[in-house]
Amino acid sequence: MRKSILMLLGVMLICSCTSKKEQETKAPTRVKTQVVSPGMVDNAQTYVGIVEEREATAVSFTGMGVVKRMLVNEGQTVSKGQLIAEMDDTQARNLLTGAEAQMTQANDALARYKMLHDNGSLPEVQWVEIQSKVAQAKSQLEVSKKNLADCRLTAPVSGIIGKKLIGTGETALPSQAVVSILDISTVKVKVAVPEAEIGGLNATTPTNISVEAINGSFQGGRIEKGVQADALTHTYDIRINVANGDRKLLPGMVASVRFVSDGSQAIGSKMVPITAVQKKSDGSLFVWTVDKDSTAHRTTVTIGQTQGNYVSVIDGLSIGDRIATEGYQKLSEGTKVVF
């Protein structure tokens, strides 16, 4: 019996030592951290926006016919007056030939009857009728020339081809868009802003715009504010003008827009991400701070006003403190971390 008890105690002692050893050799928990510093947010609010063209022009034929040639492709840069497409002009040429023949005939009749009119041998009524026929022939000739010219579609403005809506061999109808030409010399970034925050923006509010697709950052220009809210989301559309001289910004690109407004939060205040602030069972708030020895601790904080995705910390943190911003769900008091 005594021998069995001793064996049991030995096993428990070995297990206890093994458990303690496992705890001592447990790998540190990986987290993302951020150092508390003055002006971490600087009263900034960030939104997602979409790049739009400055202006879109739908280009179409004025008459109906079969498209004979398409001379541009989507994304191609075009200049004002550049030929875009041609329509089958066989009928227009035939009509022009007939109009030219009528014009020749009317001018010949005018020359012959003029001699009679000058000699007083032609009644005035007949002379007026001859002049009227000449004017009609001239008008028909001008219409025929325009119809032939309208078989050639040219760019009314400079820009890039956005969409090609009709191809070679298809029938174009009057006023049916053949292509759209986009003016992207400057672009607009469209952002939906909640109604509670629209009042803090004005036409000259500074903005910083980042576009991941081209890995570029831009300074926003004048802001155009919408006056009608979306009925479902209660947001207002605003558009920020952005210079685009190198044509890198293209319609449809996603942009990160950062507004810097004259809020009440003082520059240099301690700001932390809202998501890093946790609540205890007693209702008090805390963040996970990381000491110099990479140990995590719960630190009680008192917060102030929010600005976008950040909140000010009135008490509990000092400039230079390191806080956990991601991965803190796996932490407990005294946990070793790596970042």
Side-chain angles (χ1 to χ4, degrees), residues 246-313:
D246 54 7
R247 306 297 199 275
K248 287 185 177 180
L249 289 172
L250 299 176
M253 287 184 173
V254 178
S256 176
V257 181
R258 183 172 178 268
F259 294 98
V260 182
S261 58
D262 297 328
S264 59
Q265 201 67 42
I267 295 177
S269 60
K270 293 166 289 189
M271 306 291 290
V272 300
I274 292 177
T275 54
V277 181
Q278 307 296 305
K279 182 180 288 188
K280 296 180 182 179
S281 58
D282 61 1
S284 61
L285 303 177
F286 72 95
V287 297
W288 286 102
T289 56
V290 180
D291 285 349
K292 293 181 179 180
D293 61 355
S294 298
T295 303
H297 300 283
R298 288 187 182 90
T299 301
T300 302
V301 294
T302 303
I303 65 171
Q305 296 182 350
T306 60
Q307 288 288 337
N309 297 325
Y310 284 75
V311 63
S312 66
V313 176

Short mmCIF file of all heavy atoms in Angstrom, two decimals, residues 246-313:
data_model
loop_
_atom_site.label_atom_id
_atom_site.label_comp_id
_atom_site.label_asym_id
_atom_site.label_seq_id
_atom_site.Cartn_x
_atom_site.Cartn_y
_atom_site.Cartn_z
N ASP A 246 -1.15 63.28 -65.20
CA ASP A 246 -0.46 62.14 -65.79
C ASP A 246 -1.43 61.00 -66.15
O ASP A 246 -1.00 59.93 -66.60
CB ASP A 246 0.62 61.61 -64.85
CG ASP A 246 0.08 61.31 -63.46
OD1 ASP A 246 -1.16 61.39 -63.27
OD2 ASP A 246 0.88 61.01 -62.55
N ARG A 247 -2.74 61.21 -65.93
CA ARG A 247 -3.80 60.24 -66.30
C ARG A 247 -3.66 58.89 -65.58
O ARG A 247 -4.12 57.87 -66.07
CB ARG A 247 -3.82 60.00 -67.82
CG ARG A 247 -3.94 61.24 -68.69
CD ARG A 247 -5.25 61.97 -68.45
NE ARG A 247 -5.60 62.87 -69.54
CZ ARG A 247 -5.16 64.11 -69.65
NH1 ARG A 247 -4.32 64.60 -68.75
NH2 ARG A 247 -5.56 64.87 -70.66
N LYS A 248 -3.05 58.86 -64.40
CA LYS A 248 -2.91 57.60 -63.68
C LYS A 248 -4.20 57.19 -62.99
O LYS A 248 -4.51 56.01 -62.87
CB LYS A 248 -1.77 57.71 -62.66
CG LYS A 248 -0.39 57.71 -63.26
CD LYS A 248 0.67 57.71 -62.17
CE LYS A 248 2.08 57.65 -62.77
NZ LYS A 248 3.12 57.64 -61.69
N LEU A 249 -4.95 58.17 -62.49
CA LEU A 249 -6.22 57.88 -61.83
C LEU A 249 -7.28 57.58 -62.86
O LEU A 249 -7.54 58.39 -63.77
CB LEU A 249 -6.64 59.06 -60.96
CG LEU A 249 -5.81 59.30 -59.69
CD1 LEU A 249 -6.22 60.62 -59.04
CD2 LEU A 249 -5.98 58.15 -58.72
N LEU A 250 -7.90 56.40 -62.76
CA LEU A 250 -8.90 55.98 -63.73
C LEU A 250 -10.24 55.77 -63.05
O LEU A 250 -10.30 55.39 -61.87
CB LEU A 250 -8.46 54.67 -64.40
CG LEU A 250 -7.14 54.73 -65.19
CD1 LEU A 250 -6.79 53.34 -65.72
CD2 LEU A 250 -7.22 55.73 -66.33
N PRO A 251 -11.35 56.03 -63.75
CA PRO A 251 -12.68 55.84 -63.16
C PRO A 251 -12.86 54.42 -62.64
O PRO A 251 -12.46 53.45 -63.28
CB PRO A 251 -13.61 56.12 -64.35
CG PRO A 251 -12.84 57.04 -65.23
CD PRO A 251 -11.41 56.58 -65.12
N GLY A 252 -13.45 54.33 -61.44
CA GLY A 252 -13.72 53.03 -60.84
C GLY A 252 -12.70 52.61 -59.80
O GLY A 252 -12.94 51.67 -59.04
N MET A 253 -11.54 53.27 -59.75
CA MET A 253 -10.54 52.91 -58.75
C MET A 253 -11.05 53.24 -57.35
O MET A 253 -11.75 54.23 -57.14
CB MET A 253 -9.22 53.65 -59.01
CG MET A 253 -8.44 53.13 -60.19
SD MET A 253 -6.84 53.98 -60.36
CE MET A 253 -6.09 53.00 -61.66
N VAL A 254 -10.68 52.39 -56.38
CA VAL A 254 -11.06 52.60 -54.99
C VAL A 254 -10.01 53.48 -54.30
O VAL A 254 -8.81 53.24 -54.45
CB VAL A 254 -11.21 51.26 -54.25
CG1 VAL A 254 -11.56 51.49 -52.77
CG2 VAL A 254 -12.27 50.40 -54.92
N ALA A 255 -10.48 54.46 -53.56
CA ALA A 255 -9.57 55.40 -52.89
C ALA A 255 -9.87 55.45 -51.40
O ALA A 255 -11.01 55.30 -50.98
CB ALA A 255 -9.70 56.80 -53.51
N SER A 256 -8.82 55.69 -50.63
CA SER A 256 -8.96 55.94 -49.19
C SER A 256 -8.84 57.44 -48.98
O SER A 256 -7.81 58.04 -49.32
CB SER A 256 -7.87 55.19 -48.41
OG SER A 256 -7.95 55.50 -47.03
N VAL A 257 -9.90 58.04 -48.47
CA VAL A 257 -9.97 59.50 -48.36
C VAL A 257 -9.89 59.90 -46.90
O VAL A 257 -10.65 59.41 -46.06
CB VAL A 257 -11.27 60.03 -48.98
CG1 VAL A 257 -11.33 61.55 -48.87
CG2 VAL A 257 -11.38 59.59 -50.42
N ARG A 258 -8.97 60.78 -46.59
CA ARG A 258 -8.75 61.24 -45.21
C ARG A 258 -9.08 62.72 -45.13
O ARG A 258 -8.44 63.56 -45.76
CB ARG A 258 -7.29 60.99 -44.82
CG ARG A 258 -6.93 61.34 -43.38
CD ARG A 258 -5.51 60.84 -43.10
NE ARG A 258 -5.06 61.18 -41.76
CZ ARG A 258 -4.38 62.27 -41.46
NH1 ARG A 258 -4.08 63.14 -42.42
NH2 ARG A 258 -3.99 62.51 -40.22
N PHE A 259 -10.13 63.05 -44.38
CA PHE A 259 -10.53 64.44 -44.17
C PHE A 259 -9.87 64.97 -42.91
O PHE A 259 -9.87 64.31 -41.88
CB PHE A 259 -12.05 64.56 -44.00
CG PHE A 259 -12.83 64.20 -45.23
CD1 PHE A 259 -13.38 62.93 -45.36
CD2 PHE A 259 -13.01 65.11 -46.24
CE1 PHE A 259 -14.11 62.59 -46.48
CE2 PHE A 259 -13.74 64.78 -47.37
CZ PHE A 259 -14.28 63.52 -47.50
N VAL A 260 -9.33 66.16 -42.98
CA VAL A 260 -8.76 66.81 -41.81
C VAL A 260 -9.60 68.04 -41.52
O VAL A 260 -9.58 69.01 -42.29
CB VAL A 260 -7.29 67.21 -42.04
CG1 VAL A 260 -6.71 67.83 -40.78
CG2 VAL A 260 -6.47 66.00 -42.45
N SER A 261 -10.39 67.99 -40.47
CA SER A 261 -11.34 69.07 -40.17
C SER A 261 -10.91 69.81 -38.92
O SER A 261 -10.06 69.37 -38.15
CB SER A 261 -12.75 68.50 -39.97
OG SER A 261 -12.75 67.55 -38.92
N ASP A 262 -11.55 70.95 -38.70
CA ASP A 262 -11.26 71.77 -37.52
C ASP A 262 -12.11 71.29 -36.36
O ASP A 262 -13.00 71.98 -35.87
CB ASP A 262 -11.55 73.25 -37.81
CG ASP A 262 -10.65 73.79 -38.91
OD1 ASP A 262 -9.51 73.31 -38.99
OD2 ASP A 262 -11.10 74.66 -39.66
N GLY A 263 -11.84 70.07 -35.90
CA GLY A 263 -12.61 69.51 -34.79
C GLY A 263 -12.16 70.10 -33.47
O GLY A 263 -11.21 70.85 -33.36
N SER A 264 -12.87 69.69 -32.40
CA SER A 264 -12.55 70.23 -31.07
C SER A 264 -11.39 69.51 -30.42
O SER A 264 -10.90 69.93 -29.39
CB SER A 264 -13.79 70.10 -30.17
OG SER A 264 -14.19 68.73 -30.07
N GLN A 265 -10.95 68.38 -30.99
CA GLN A 265 -9.86 67.61 -30.39
C GLN A 265 -8.54 68.34 -30.61
O GLN A 265 -8.22 68.75 -31.72
CB GLN A 265 -9.80 66.23 -31.02
CG GLN A 265 -9.08 65.19 -30.19
CD GLN A 265 -9.85 64.88 -28.93
OE1 GLN A 265 -11.06 64.76 -28.97
NE2 GLN A 265 -9.15 64.76 -27.84
N ALA A 266 -7.78 68.51 -29.58
CA ALA A 266 -6.53 69.25 -29.69
C ALA A 266 -5.46 68.41 -30.35
O ALA A 266 -5.33 67.23 -30.09
CB ALA A 266 -6.05 69.68 -28.30
N ILE A 267 -4.68 69.05 -31.20
CA ILE A 267 -3.56 68.35 -31.82
C ILE A 267 -2.54 67.98 -30.74
O ILE A 267 -2.21 68.78 -29.88
CB ILE A 267 -2.90 69.23 -32.88
CG1 ILE A 267 -3.89 69.49 -34.02
CG2 ILE A 267 -1.63 68.62 -33.42
CD1 ILE A 267 -3.35 70.40 -35.08
N GLY A 268 -2.04 66.75 -30.79
CA GLY A 268 -1.10 66.29 -29.78
C GLY A 268 -1.76 65.47 -28.69
O GLY A 268 -1.08 64.98 -27.80
N SER A 269 -3.08 65.32 -28.71
CA SER A 269 -3.75 64.50 -27.71
C SER A 269 -3.44 63.03 -27.98
O SER A 269 -3.03 62.65 -29.07
CB SER A 269 -5.26 64.75 -27.76
OG SER A 269 -5.76 64.44 -29.04
N LYS A 270 -3.65 62.21 -26.94
CA LYS A 270 -3.36 60.78 -27.06
C LYS A 270 -4.56 60.08 -27.68
O LYS A 270 -5.64 60.06 -27.10
CB LYS A 270 -3.05 60.21 -25.67
CG LYS A 270 -1.75 60.75 -25.06
CD LYS A 270 -1.66 60.42 -23.58
CE LYS A 270 -2.64 61.24 -22.77
NZ LYS A 270 -2.42 61.10 -21.33
N MET A 271 -4.36 59.52 -28.87
CA MET A 271 -5.44 58.87 -29.60
C MET A 271 -5.10 57.40 -29.81
O MET A 271 -3.95 57.06 -30.10
CB MET A 271 -5.65 59.55 -30.96
CG MET A 271 -5.88 61.05 -30.92
SD MET A 271 -7.45 61.53 -30.19
CE MET A 271 -8.58 60.99 -31.46
N VAL A 272 -6.09 56.54 -29.63
CA VAL A 272 -5.90 55.10 -29.85
C VAL A 272 -7.07 54.59 -30.68
O VAL A 272 -8.16 55.18 -30.67
CB VAL A 272 -5.81 54.32 -28.51
CG1 VAL A 272 -4.65 54.81 -27.67
CG2 VAL A 272 -7.13 54.42 -27.73
N PRO A 273 -6.89 53.48 -31.41
CA PRO A 273 -8.01 52.90 -32.15
C PRO A 273 -9.15 52.50 -31.21
O PRO A 273 -8.92 51.96 -30.13
CB PRO A 273 -7.39 51.67 -32.82
CG PRO A 273 -5.92 51.96 -32.86
CD PRO A 273 -5.63 52.75 -31.64
N ILE A 274 -10.37 52.77 -31.62
CA ILE A 274 -11.53 52.43 -30.80
C ILE A 274 -11.56 50.94 -30.51
O ILE A 274 -11.91 50.51 -29.40
CB ILE A 274 -12.83 52.87 -31.52
CG1 ILE A 274 -12.91 54.39 -31.59
CG2 ILE A 274 -14.06 52.33 -30.80
CD1 ILE A 274 -14.11 54.91 -32.34
N THR A 275 -11.17 50.12 -31.48
CA THR A 275 -11.24 48.67 -31.31
C THR A 275 -10.27 48.14 -30.26
O THR A 275 -10.42 47.02 -29.78
CB THR A 275 -10.97 47.97 -32.65
OG1 THR A 275 -9.72 48.44 -33.17
CG2 THR A 275 -12.06 48.27 -33.65
N ALA A 276 -9.26 48.96 -29.89
CA ALA A 276 -8.29 48.50 -28.90
C ALA A 276 -8.80 48.68 -27.48
O ALA A 276 -8.23 48.14 -26.54
CB ALA A 276 -6.97 49.26 -29.07
N VAL A 277 -9.89 49.45 -27.31
CA VAL A 277 -10.45 49.70 -25.97
C VAL A 277 -11.46 48.61 -25.64
O VAL A 277 -12.43 48.40 -26.38
CB VAL A 277 -11.11 51.09 -25.91
CG1 VAL A 277 -11.67 51.35 -24.52
CG2 VAL A 277 -10.10 52.17 -26.30
N GLN A 278 -11.24 47.92 -24.52
CA GLN A 278 -12.11 46.82 -24.08
C GLN A 278 -12.84 47.22 -22.80
O GLN A 278 -12.46 48.17 -22.11
CB GLN A 278 -11.28 45.56 -23.83
CG GLN A 278 -10.39 45.17 -25.02
CD GLN A 278 -11.21 44.80 -26.23
OE1 GLN A 278 -12.07 43.93 -26.16
NE2 GLN A 278 -10.94 45.46 -27.35
N LYS A 279 -13.92 46.46 -22.52
CA LYS A 279 -14.72 46.75 -21.32
C LYS A 279 -14.67 45.57 -20.36
O LYS A 279 -14.87 44.42 -20.75
CB LYS A 279 -16.16 47.05 -21.72
CG LYS A 279 -17.06 47.42 -20.53
CD LYS A 279 -18.48 47.70 -20.98
CE LYS A 279 -18.56 49.02 -21.72
NZ LYS A 279 -19.98 49.40 -21.99
N LYS A 280 -14.45 45.87 -19.07
CA LYS A 280 -14.47 44.85 -18.03
C LYS A 280 -15.90 44.54 -17.61
O LYS A 280 -16.85 45.25 -17.99
CB LYS A 280 -13.66 45.31 -16.82
CG LYS A 280 -12.18 45.52 -17.07
CD LYS A 280 -11.48 45.98 -15.80
CE LYS A 280 -10.00 46.25 -16.03
NZ LYS A 280 -9.32 46.73 -14.80
N SER A 281 -16.05 43.52 -16.79
CA SER A 281 -17.39 43.14 -16.31
C SER A 281 -18.02 44.22 -15.46
O SER A 281 -19.25 44.33 -15.38
CB SER A 281 -17.30 41.83 -15.52
OG SER A 281 -16.39 41.97 -14.43
N ASP A 282 -17.19 45.04 -14.80
CA ASP A 282 -17.74 46.11 -13.96
C ASP A 282 -18.02 47.39 -14.73
O ASP A 282 -18.41 48.41 -14.16
CB ASP A 282 -16.78 46.40 -12.80
CG ASP A 282 -15.41 46.87 -13.29
OD1 ASP A 282 -15.22 46.98 -14.51
OD2 ASP A 282 -14.52 47.11 -12.44
N GLY A 283 -17.80 47.34 -16.06
CA GLY A 283 -18.09 48.50 -16.91
C GLY A 283 -16.93 49.41 -17.15
O GLY A 283 -17.01 50.31 -18.00
N SER A 284 -15.83 49.24 -16.45
CA SER A 284 -14.65 50.08 -16.66
C SER A 284 -13.95 49.67 -17.96
O SER A 284 -14.10 48.55 -18.45
CB SER A 284 -13.69 49.97 -15.49
OG SER A 284 -13.24 48.63 -15.33
N LEU A 285 -13.18 50.60 -18.52
CA LEU A 285 -12.52 50.38 -19.81
C LEU A 285 -11.04 50.15 -19.60
O LEU A 285 -10.43 50.68 -18.66
CB LEU A 285 -12.75 51.58 -20.72
CG LEU A 285 -14.20 51.96 -20.99
CD1 LEU A 285 -14.28 53.22 -21.84
CD2 LEU A 285 -14.95 50.82 -21.68
N PHE A 286 -10.45 49.38 -20.50
CA PHE A 286 -9.01 49.12 -20.41
C PHE A 286 -8.45 48.84 -21.79
O PHE A 286 -9.18 48.55 -22.74
CB PHE A 286 -8.72 47.93 -19.49
CG PHE A 286 -9.12 46.60 -20.07
CD1 PHE A 286 -8.18 45.81 -20.75
CD2 PHE A 286 -10.41 46.12 -19.96
CE1 PHE A 286 -8.54 44.59 -21.29
CE2 PHE A 286 -10.77 44.89 -20.50
CZ PHE A 286 -9.84 44.12 -21.17
N VAL A 287 -7.14 48.96 -21.92
CA VAL A 287 -6.42 48.54 -23.12
C VAL A 287 -5.29 47.62 -22.67
O VAL A 287 -4.90 47.62 -21.49
CB VAL A 287 -5.83 49.75 -23.89
CG1 VAL A 287 -6.91 50.66 -24.40
CG2 VAL A 287 -4.83 50.52 -23.02
N TRP A 288 -4.81 46.82 -23.60
CA TRP A 288 -3.66 45.97 -23.31
C TRP A 288 -2.39 46.74 -23.64
O TRP A 288 -2.18 47.16 -24.78
CB TRP A 288 -3.72 44.68 -24.13
CG TRP A 288 -4.76 43.71 -23.65
CD1 TRP A 288 -5.98 43.48 -24.19
CD2 TRP A 288 -4.63 42.82 -22.53
NE1 TRP A 288 -6.65 42.50 -23.47
CE2 TRP A 288 -5.83 42.08 -22.45
CE3 TRP A 288 -3.63 42.59 -21.59
CZ2 TRP A 288 -6.07 41.12 -21.47
CZ3 TRP A 288 -3.86 41.64 -20.61
CH2 TRP A 288 -5.06 40.92 -20.54
N THR A 289 -1.56 46.96 -22.63
CA THR A 289 -0.28 47.62 -22.84
C THR A 289 0.83 46.57 -22.80
O THR A 289 0.69 45.52 -22.15
CB THR A 289 -0.01 48.68 -21.77
OG1 THR A 289 -0.07 48.08 -20.47
CG2 THR A 289 -1.03 49.81 -21.86
N VAL A 290 1.90 46.86 -23.50
CA VAL A 290 3.04 45.93 -23.58
C VAL A 290 4.26 46.61 -22.98
O VAL A 290 4.69 47.67 -23.46
CB VAL A 290 3.31 45.52 -25.04
CG1 VAL A 290 4.50 44.56 -25.12
CG2 VAL A 290 2.07 44.88 -25.66
N ASP A 291 4.80 46.00 -21.90
CA ASP A 291 5.99 46.55 -21.24
C ASP A 291 7.24 46.30 -22.08
O ASP A 291 7.22 45.59 -23.10
CB ASP A 291 6.16 45.92 -19.86
CG ASP A 291 5.16 46.49 -18.85
OD1 ASP A 291 4.52 47.50 -19.19
OD2 ASP A 291 5.03 45.91 -17.76
N LYS A 292 8.35 46.85 -21.61
CA LYS A 292 9.62 46.69 -22.31
C LYS A 292 10.09 45.23 -22.34
O LYS A 292 10.84 44.84 -23.23
CB LYS A 292 10.70 47.56 -21.66
CG LYS A 292 10.43 49.05 -21.84
CD LYS A 292 11.54 49.88 -21.21
CE LYS A 292 11.29 51.36 -21.42
NZ LYS A 292 12.35 52.20 -20.81
N ASP A 293 9.63 44.43 -21.34
CA ASP A 293 10.00 43.02 -21.34
C ASP A 293 9.02 42.16 -22.14
O ASP A 293 8.97 40.95 -21.99
CB ASP A 293 10.08 42.49 -19.91
CG ASP A 293 8.74 42.60 -19.17
OD1 ASP A 293 7.79 43.17 -19.75
OD2 ASP A 293 8.66 42.12 -18.02
N SER A 294 8.20 42.84 -23.00
CA SER A 294 7.23 42.16 -23.89
C SER A 294 6.16 41.41 -23.10
O SER A 294 5.65 40.37 -23.53
CB SER A 294 7.95 41.20 -24.84
OG SER A 294 8.85 41.88 -25.67
N THR A 295 5.76 41.93 -21.95
CA THR A 295 4.70 41.35 -21.14
C THR A 295 3.45 42.21 -21.26
O THR A 295 3.52 43.44 -21.19
CB THR A 295 5.13 41.27 -19.66
OG1 THR A 295 6.33 40.50 -19.57
CG2 THR A 295 4.05 40.58 -18.83
N ALA A 296 2.29 41.56 -21.45
CA ALA A 296 1.03 42.27 -21.63
C ALA A 296 0.35 42.49 -20.28
O ALA A 296 0.37 41.60 -19.41
CB ALA A 296 0.11 41.48 -22.55
N HIS A 297 -0.25 43.69 -20.13
CA HIS A 297 -0.96 44.02 -18.89
C HIS A 297 -2.23 44.78 -19.23
O HIS A 297 -2.27 45.58 -20.17
CB HIS A 297 -0.09 44.89 -17.97
CG HIS A 297 1.20 44.24 -17.57
ND1 HIS A 297 1.28 43.27 -16.60
CD2 HIS A 297 2.47 44.43 -18.03
CE1 HIS A 297 2.53 42.88 -16.47
NE2 HIS A 297 3.28 43.58 -17.32
N ARG A 298 -3.28 44.55 -18.42
CA ARG A 298 -4.51 45.35 -18.54
C ARG A 298 -4.26 46.72 -17.91
O ARG A 298 -3.81 46.80 -16.76
CB ARG A 298 -5.68 44.67 -17.83
CG ARG A 298 -6.21 43.43 -18.51
CD ARG A 298 -7.47 42.96 -17.78
NE ARG A 298 -7.99 41.73 -18.39
CZ ARG A 298 -7.64 40.52 -18.03
NH1 ARG A 298 -6.73 40.36 -17.06
NH2 ARG A 298 -8.17 39.47 -18.61
N THR A 299 -4.56 47.76 -18.66
CA THR A 299 -4.37 49.12 -18.15
C THR A 299 -5.69 49.86 -18.26
O THR A 299 -6.22 50.06 -19.37
CB THR A 299 -3.28 49.87 -18.95
OG1 THR A 299 -2.05 49.13 -18.86
CG2 THR A 299 -3.08 51.28 -18.42
N THR A 300 -6.23 50.27 -17.13
CA THR A 300 -7.51 50.99 -17.11
C THR A 300 -7.34 52.38 -17.70
O THR A 300 -6.35 53.08 -17.41
CB THR A 300 -8.04 51.09 -15.67
OG1 THR A 300 -8.18 49.77 -15.12
CG2 THR A 300 -9.39 51.79 -15.64
N VAL A 301 -8.29 52.79 -18.53
CA VAL A 301 -8.20 54.09 -19.19
C VAL A 301 -9.53 54.83 -19.07
O VAL A 301 -10.59 54.22 -18.86
CB VAL A 301 -7.83 53.95 -20.68
CG1 VAL A 301 -6.44 53.39 -20.85
CG2 VAL A 301 -8.85 53.11 -21.43
N THR A 302 -9.44 56.13 -19.23
CA THR A 302 -10.62 57.00 -19.34
C THR A 302 -10.58 57.65 -20.71
O THR A 302 -9.56 58.25 -21.07
CB THR A 302 -10.62 58.08 -18.24
OG1 THR A 302 -10.57 57.43 -16.96
CG2 THR A 302 -11.88 58.93 -18.33
N ILE A 303 -11.65 57.50 -21.45
CA ILE A 303 -11.64 58.00 -22.83
C ILE A 303 -12.45 59.28 -22.96
O ILE A 303 -13.28 59.61 -22.11
CB ILE A 303 -12.18 56.93 -23.81
CG1 ILE A 303 -13.66 56.63 -23.52
CG2 ILE A 303 -11.35 55.67 -23.74
CD1 ILE A 303 -14.29 55.74 -24.58
N GLY A 304 -12.17 59.99 -24.06
CA GLY A 304 -12.89 61.23 -24.36
C GLY A 304 -13.69 61.10 -25.64
O GLY A 304 -14.38 60.11 -25.87
N GLN A 305 -13.54 62.07 -26.53
CA GLN A 305 -14.31 62.12 -27.76
C GLN A 305 -13.68 61.23 -28.83
O GLN A 305 -12.48 60.95 -28.81
CB GLN A 305 -14.40 63.55 -28.28
CG GLN A 305 -15.16 64.49 -27.36
CD GLN A 305 -15.27 65.88 -27.94
OE1 GLN A 305 -14.62 66.18 -28.95
NE2 GLN A 305 -16.05 66.74 -27.33
N THR A 306 -14.53 60.78 -29.74
CA THR A 306 -14.06 59.96 -30.86
C THR A 306 -13.86 60.84 -32.08
O THR A 306 -14.53 61.85 -32.26
CB THR A 306 -15.07 58.85 -31.19
OG1 THR A 306 -16.33 59.45 -31.54
CG2 THR A 306 -15.26 57.91 -30.03
N GLN A 307 -12.92 60.41 -32.92
CA GLN A 307 -12.67 61.05 -34.21
C GLN A 307 -12.47 59.95 -35.23
O GLN A 307 -11.43 59.30 -35.25
CB GLN A 307 -11.43 61.96 -34.16
CG GLN A 307 -11.62 63.24 -33.37
CD GLN A 307 -12.51 64.21 -34.10
OE1 GLN A 307 -12.63 64.15 -35.32
NE2 GLN A 307 -13.15 65.11 -33.38
N GLY A 308 -13.49 59.70 -36.04
CA GLY A 308 -13.39 58.61 -37.01
C GLY A 308 -13.29 57.28 -36.31
O GLY A 308 -14.14 56.91 -35.49
N ASN A 309 -12.21 56.54 -36.56
CA ASN A 309 -11.99 55.23 -35.97
C ASN A 309 -11.11 55.30 -34.72
O ASN A 309 -10.68 54.25 -34.22
CB ASN A 309 -11.35 54.28 -36.99
CG ASN A 309 -12.26 54.03 -38.16
OD1 ASN A 309 -13.47 53.96 -38.02
ND2 ASN A 309 -11.68 53.88 -39.35
N TYR A 310 -10.87 56.49 -34.21
CA TYR A 310 -9.99 56.66 -33.06
C TYR A 310 -10.74 57.34 -31.92
O TYR A 310 -11.77 58.01 -32.13
CB TYR A 310 -8.76 57.48 -33.44
CG TYR A 310 -7.73 56.71 -34.22
CD1 TYR A 310 -7.93 56.41 -35.57
CD2 TYR A 310 -6.55 56.28 -33.63
CE1 TYR A 310 -6.99 55.68 -36.29
CE2 TYR A 310 -5.60 55.56 -34.34
CZ TYR A 310 -5.83 55.26 -35.66
OH TYR A 310 -4.90 54.54 -36.37
N VAL A 311 -10.21 57.20 -30.72
CA VAL A 311 -10.79 57.83 -29.54
C VAL A 311 -9.65 58.42 -28.70
O VAL A 311 -8.55 57.86 -28.64
CB VAL A 311 -11.61 56.81 -28.71
CG1 VAL A 311 -10.72 55.69 -28.18
CG2 VAL A 311 -12.36 57.50 -27.58
N SER A 312 -9.92 59.56 -28.07
CA SER A 312 -8.89 60.18 -27.23
C SER A 312 -8.88 59.52 -25.86
O SER A 312 -9.90 59.09 -25.34
CB SER A 312 -9.17 61.68 -27.08
OG SER A 312 -10.37 61.88 -26.36
N VAL A 313 -7.69 59.43 -25.28
CA VAL A 313 -7.52 58.86 -23.95
C VAL A 313 -7.16 60.00 -23.00
O VAL A 313 -6.11 60.64 -23.13
CB VAL A 313 -6.42 57.78 -23.94
CG1 VAL A 313 -6.19 57.28 -22.51
CG2 VAL A 313 -6.81 56.62 -24.84
#
